[in-house]
Amino acid sequence: RSYFKSKLMLIITKWKGSNNEPPRPFTSMESIWSFFGSFLTLLMLLYYSDAISKRWPGYSLVGGPFGALMTLQYSLTAAPASQPRNAILGQAISVSIAIGMTYTRLEQNVKKALATSLAIMCMARLGVTHPPAGAAALIFAGGGYSWAHLGIMLSGNILAILSATLINDMNVKRQYPTFWGFGYLPRLLFGSHEKSKSA
């Protein structure tokens, strides 16, 4: 009984927060920079999606995750989840899991919840957590998408990264990306990272 009481008190204490100060708001100029960056990048992506649809009817970018990506790239520029490695690998992992899940005979809601949760777990384990990729997993697990959409989504992410690199780095107060870090993944997959930590 005392064990559960102590656990409950711990949870209540955590609910109160850790008294950290919230992040400061952007200045007006920084906010305007974020507006123009996201506007120009989204406009480019939407025209790119239209071009794909004209060339290959039935195919286009799935827009929802890119709205979230703009928020990261232009308002949380330095966050690890915003960086190119997380955007590309997180998206590749999540969409692959989601499309693979559509081949199962599970009930639709179970597919969506399972695909998204598996994507979140895999991204966390590989150190490439990317919130828009979690959103993509939920969307793609609903069905109606092919493996070609994976390539389209990855190409859209690459374009968004190139645009964010150019626009953010024109501002002396910003830097994007803060790291690339693609060499980390092979080390993690083959276990050398874990070995070096335990040594």
Side-chain angles (χ1 to χ4, degrees), residues 1-16:
R1 184 176 178 180
S2 60
Y3 172 80
F4 290 108
K5 182 178 179 181
S6 64
K7 283 293 183 182
L8 179 60
M9 293 304 297
L10 178 62
I11 292 171
I12 292 172
T13 301
K14 288 182 176 181
W15 281 347
K16 296 177 180 178

Side-chain angles (χ1 to χ4, degrees), residues 30-120:
E30 285 294 303
S31 301
I32 291 170
W33 198 277
S34 295
F35 164 77
F36 279 110
S38 59
F39 173 75
L40 293 173
T41 305
L42 278 174
L43 196 62
M44 174 192 67
L45 291 172
L46 290 169
Y47 280 122
Y48 174 62
S49 183
D50 288 346
I52 292 173
S53 296
K54 289 178 182 178
R55 181 68 178 82
W56 295 286
Y59 292 93
S60 63
L61 286 174
V62 177
F66 288 98
L69 179 60
M70 295 303 99
T71 306
L72 289 175
Q73 288 182 328
Y74 295 104
S75 292
L76 293 170
T77 309
S82 307
Q83 305 311 308
R85 181 189 72 179
N86 293 50
I88 294 173
L89 296 181
Q91 200 72 251
I93 291 166
S94 297
V95 175
S96 296
I97 290 172
I99 294 177
M101 191 63 65
T102 62
Y103 292 96
T104 70
R105 296 183 179 181
L106 296 172
E107 193 267 331
Q108 187 78 333
N109 287 339
V110 175
K111 285 182 184 180
K112 291 180 179 180
L114 183 57
T116 306
S117 300
L118 283 172
I120 291 169

